[in-house]
Amino acid sequence: MSWDPEALRGTPVNPDAAISVRGLTKRFGDFSAVDGIDVDVPRGQVFGFLGPNGSGKTTTIRMLTGTIAPQAGQALVLGEDVIRHPERAKRRIGYMSQKFALFEDLTVDENLRFYAGVYDLPPERFAAQRRYVLEMADLIGRENELTANLSVGWRQRLALGAATIHDPELLFLDEPTGGVDPVARRQFWDLLYDLASRGVTLFVTTHYMDEATHCNRLAFIYRGRLIAEGSPQQIRRDFISQRILEVSVGDPDAALQWLEQAEGVAEAYLSGASLHAVIGSGAQGRDELAPWLTGRMREAGFADVRAVEVDPTIEDVFVNLVSRQP
Amino acid sequence: MTSPPAVRTEALSCRFGEIQAVDEVSLEIPHGAVFGLLGPDGAGKSTLIRMLATVQRASSGDAFVFGSSVTREPHRVTPRLGYMSQRFSMYPDLTVAENIDFFATLRGVPRAERLTRAASLLTSMGLAEFAGRQAGRLSGGMKQKLTLAVTLMHQPDLLLLDEPTTGVDPVARREFWRILAGLHRGGTTVLVSTPYMDEAERCTDVAFMEAGQIRHRGSPQQIKQLVPGTLLEVAAENPREALAVVRRAPQATSVHLYGDLVRVLWASGADVKELDRWLSGQGLTATVRPIVVDMETAFAFLADVGVGGGEPR
Ligand SMILES: Nc1ncnc2c1ncn2[C@@H]1O[C@H](COP(=O)(O)OP(=O)(O)OP(=O)(O)O)[C@@H](O)[C@H]1O
Ligand SMILES: [Mg+2]
């Protein structure tokens, strides 16, 4: 495996990176929520931070935004030491938190004004930024609408607008698209790309694995430790050794049950409209994997089954990484 | 006499001031279905579910759960329901185990069953080692999993789940659907709303809701067949650039990025080879392959049609 989890350990923090972290640790009582992570996030990148529930993503973001203090480690954000001087980088970063950071009983405009106040924006800059944000979020004409009346997708855009009202260089987005419908999710990512193309660094968490593919770089955190890092292509190539068959069949639920019991299949799950069968170590070396599996499935009564070997998706890697951990 | 369907609504409506959240919905959900409610944000899915759960009054019309009216005899409906709302939250100062026990007791789950069921749910949700942690100190997704565990503690005849897996990680989401599949085999009827289209694939029936109305319903297979043309997937070095090029092709009816691949809905009747020619004509090297239409594509297509056939931005 080409990624070395120790590569950054003990090296000095990098002031040129958007984020540079060494040995960052957060304990709650005797539980380590974040357990000595080392990572550099280059400027201008869309950086995806993935991991199971409770693995330490939000806790990491809260340390990097200066909201909570770590017990140990170093962290530079835009070159500033956020542990010693949590206030210094604050005006240059934006943060869209996992819970809504909007006041539901305020209008769209009032929410933007509130955030402009938080960042001490002078009136002429606010006027310009406000126009930009309303345009970006497609909220022109809805300035006086109550935030509570906006649907989830619109609210997320407003939250993005509020988090960027002060034109930050670095933006933290903690599950910005949770609960957002597929079309609104795409539109939201178009906005993120827009920001990225203007040079803003984005640090994003998500449980939607298709979104992970939109990132320039990804890191996986598991129980407070980084277990993988790299571009989506590297992650898909280096962090899964098993071969994967994509199985299409008329009755996927029955096929899934069959595959879960089948010899030579380590794991099986739905992926889009098809099934993915992760081939176990015993059968890995076979040349003709697909016919080997479809033959047996036809015998078992799945007459319409088709299978092809496919490259692993980020979701395959995620599942694989998690199930491989002790 | 045949038994009534699990759910039947008759011109069920709910109005909030100016807004018609649910607009004369007449819908039947057969016994044992896993029924997926899909649609854009604000379509009225939660309001529809809330009326079935008897927590929201209908403005007009009625709904029947196993034959009992939600407006006239809610006391006969609620004992047969399990309802998980988007807003429900646990007692933050009680531990995970205490929350589960508390709500299971409320629903009258016998003690012995409570213990074994709680243990197995906590394990499959990956929460076992956190049983002693206060709910207020869980991460966002862990709270959601706790709510799921609480909902699944008793085995109701009808489960109403409003976006149960929002914020839940991919592995746990799978575990959850495994549990649902088990309940389904045991005869439970499930109504679930979800923004995850891979979950929609797993339903026996789906309905696509928009602006308070059910626009389409059928099996996932039938819904996908509503999408005309051929779905093509384009892999290119620079997906954003490929997206822009493909969007200009006259035969492309809908184009979007899925992960790092461009997905194109190619007009029916048009030759698939045309896309290859178009791409190379524009100086782009890319590989094209036809793929099966999935629910993600169907959703985007149906949502587009709904707003007047416009292209997604
Ligand atoms: N104030 C606290 N006291 C005790 N434990 C805490 C506290 N805050 C967080 N934790 C624990 O730290 C761990 C990491 O939580 P965190 O919120 O960072 O996870 P996450 O990766 O963001 O998860 P999710 O995907 O669910 O949002 C969890 O086990 C959580 O219960
Ligand atoms: Mg989190």
Side-chain angles (χ1 to χ4, degrees):
Chain A
M1 210 153 281
S2 61
W3 181 70
D4 172 13
E6 308 271 306
L8 291 175
R9 179 129 332 144
T11 65
V13 274
N14 177 0
D16 296 327
I19 299 169
S20 183
V21 156
R22 297 293 180 271
L24 195 64
T25 301
K26 179 70 193 178
R27 282 185 291 269
F28 296 106
D30 53 9
F31 174 80
S32 297
V34 175
D35 196 6
I37 61 172
D38 305 297
V39 71
D40 280 349
V41 177
R43 287 194 192 229
Q45 292 218 324
V46 182
F47 192 90
F49 198 42
L50 311 179
N53 296 128
S55 55
K57 300 179 297 295
T58 300
T59 306
T60 302
I61 291 182
R62 301 207 317 140
M63 288 190 281
L64 295 176
T65 51
T67 319
I68 54 171
Q71 269 85 16
Q74 291 171 281
L76 293 188
V77 169
L78 300 170
E80 302 283 2
D81 184 335
V82 283
I83 298 166
R84 285 219 198 101
H85 307 288
E87 69 296 340
R88 281 199 189 153
K90 261 206 175 123
R91 283 176 193 216
R92 297 163 63 200
I93 63 177
Y95 176 22
M96 188 170 154
S97 81
Q98 191 169 357
K99 289 193 198 138
F100 277 123
L102 292 173
F103 298 96
E104 302 230 330
D105 52 346
L106 296 188
T107 64
V108 168
D109 225 4
E110 286 163 348
N111 264 301
L112 293 181
R113 237 170 252 286
F114 172 81
Y115 277 91
V118 169
Y119 295 108
D120 265 339
L121 233 54
E124 51 306 347
R125 253 195 85 203
F126 174 63
Q129 275 301 110
R130 172 180 173 273
R131 196 166 335 108
Y132 171 76
V133 161
L134 288 173
E135 243 166 59
M136 169 191 85
D138 210 3
L139 282 165
I140 289 179
R142 307 183 70 174
E143 296 87 340
N144 298 319
E145 224 167 287
L146 218 53
T147 304
N149 293 344
L150 299 179
S151 72
V152 192
W154 293 95
R155 244 181 278 178
Q156 294 296 73
R157 291 196 224 179
L158 177 59
L160 179 66
T164 53
I165 193 80
H166 57 304
D167 199 13
E169 294 160 57
L170 167 63
L171 187 58
F172 292 95
L173 301 137
D174 198 2
E175 290 185 40
T177 53
V180 174
D181 79 56
V183 174
R185 222 149 56 70
R186 256 180 229 158
Q187 290 170 347
F188 190 87
W189 271 89
D190 284 342
L191 296 182
L192 294 190
Y193 267 108
D194 208 46
L195 285 168
S197 68
R198 296 191 305 136
V200 182
T201 308
L202 303 177
F203 189 92
V204 194
T205 74
T206 180
H207 291 299
Y208 290 92
M209 292 302 114
D210 60 318
E211 294 183 356
T213 327
H214 293 311
C215 300
N216 303 109
R217 275 189 95 69
L218 296 172
F220 276 76
I221 183 170
Y222 182 81
R223 290 175 184 256
R225 298 188 181 189
L226 287 194
I227 55 168
E229 207 221 316
S231 69
Q233 293 77 8
Q234 284 167 338
I235 298 262
R236 290 162 60 176
R237 191 187 60 216
D238 297 346
F239 289 93
I240 185 165
S241 51
Q242 284 143 303
R243 292 161 70 188
I244 291 170
L245 290 177
E246 185 178 274
V247 180
S248 314
V249 58
D251 185 354
D253 261 328
L256 187 61
Q257 279 192 56
W258 186 88
L259 283 167
E260 278 172 348
Q261 315 290 325
E263 207 190 308
V265 176
E267 222 168 339
Y269 39 82
L270 274 159
S271 172
S274 321
L275 295 157
H276 274 197
V278 180
I279 302 307
S281 47
Q284 279 289 330
R286 275 176 184 275
D287 285 338
E288 298 290 319
L289 266 188
W292 166 76
L293 187 67
T294 47
R296 284 160 62 206
M297 287 187 76
R298 277 199 197 94
E299 273 169 36
F302 299 99
D304 60 349
V305 67
R306 281 178 300 136
V308 283
E309 188 165 351
V310 289
D311 288 335
T313 61
I314 295 288
E315 178 140 0
D316 292 324
V317 180
F318 188 105
V319 177
N320 199 259
L321 277 172
V322 169
S323 60
R324 221 162 57 196
Q325 300 303 315
Chain B
M1 207 186 90
T2 55
S3 66
V7 174
R8 186 162 57 85
T9 72
E10 280 175 2
L12 187 64
S13 299
C14 185
R15 169 182 281 281
F16 299 109
E18 294 281 277
I19 300 160
Q20 188 75 44
V22 173
D23 190 7
E24 302 207 349
V25 166
S26 297
L27 181 72
E28 235 181 71
I29 301 177
H31 266 277
V34 178
F35 195 96
L37 197 53
L38 315 177
D41 301 327
K45 297 167 294 199
S46 295
T47 310
L48 177 58
I49 294 177
R50 287 165 56 77
M51 287 190 285
L52 296 177
T54 74
V55 297
Q56 171 69 52
R57 281 172 74 101
S59 315
S60 61
D62 204 350
F64 302 86
V65 171
F66 302 111
S68 304
S69 156
V70 296
T71 55
R72 283 175 285 112
E73 33 190 5
H75 57 283
R76 305 181 96 189
V77 173
T78 43
R80 307 191 66 177
L81 285 186
Y83 169 47
M84 176 172 172
S85 89
Q86 277 174 38
R87 295 200 202 129
F88 181 64
S89 54
M90 301 290 137
Y91 290 105
D93 47 346
L94 293 191
T95 65
V96 167
E98 288 164 352
N99 265 296
I100 292 191
D101 205 64
F102 176 79
F103 287 103
T105 311
L106 277 189
R107 297 309 304 241
V109 183
R111 184 179 154 75
E113 200 182 314
R114 267 195 330 261
L115 294 177
T116 49
R117 207 159 159 76
S120 102
L121 281 167
L122 285 179
T123 305
S124 51
M125 292 281 122
L127 283 177
E129 60 186 293
F130 303 109
R133 186 171 294 175
Q134 289 182 320
R137 302 194 161 182
L138 298 175
S139 76
M142 290 161 90
K143 282 185 189 142
Q144 187 74 6
K145 289 177 182 175
L146 173 57
T147 313
L148 281 177
V150 164
T151 311
L152 300 177
M153 272 300 284
H154 72 129
Q155 283 163 299
D157 299 320
L158 174 65
L159 259 180
L160 301 171
L161 305 168
D162 196 2
E163 295 197 11
T165 54
T166 293
V168 173
D169 71 63
V171 177
R173 224 149 54 74
R174 252 174 225 159
E175 273 313 311
F176 170 68
W177 275 88
R178 215 172 291 225
I179 296 172
L180 272 197
L183 290 172
H184 167 61
R185 283 194 288 277
T188 305
T189 307
V190 180
L191 172 62
V192 56
S193 74
T194 178
Y196 285 97
M197 290 306 111
D198 57 346
E199 297 184 354
E201 303 282 355
R202 306 205 59 168
C203 297
T204 55
D205 299 87
V206 294
F208 186 84
M209 194 171 178
E210 195 176 32
Q213 300 180 339
I214 305 284
R215 302 265 197 235
H216 304 278
R217 74 154 289 185
S219 66
Q221 206 51 42
Q222 288 166 330
I223 294 288
K224 288 184 275 190
Q225 277 161 5
L226 296 173
V227 180
T230 317
L231 187 64
L232 302 173
E233 196 169 79
V234 181
E237 186 65 28
N238 180 344
R240 290 255 143 197
E241 184 194 352
L243 180 74
V245 168
V246 175
R247 277 209 172 137
R248 291 198 297 270
Q251 303 91 327
T253 51
S254 165
V255 186
H256 67 262
L257 209 56
Y258 188 77
D260 54 357
L261 299 163
V262 178
R263 285 188 173 177
V264 197
L265 198 55
W266 206 242
S268 34
D271 185 0
V272 169
K273 289 272 183 303
E274 292 277 332
L275 180 56
D276 280 318
R277 286 196 278 275
W278 173 264
L279 288 168
S280 46
Q282 303 280 314
L284 203 87
T285 357
T287 52
V288 179
R289 71 167 184 140
I291 57 167
V292 219
V293 170
D294 59 8
M295 284 302 293
E296 181 94 21
T297 310
F299 185 101
F301 175 77
L302 295 175
D304 270 4
V305 175
V307 296
E311 270 282 284
R313 289 190 310 145

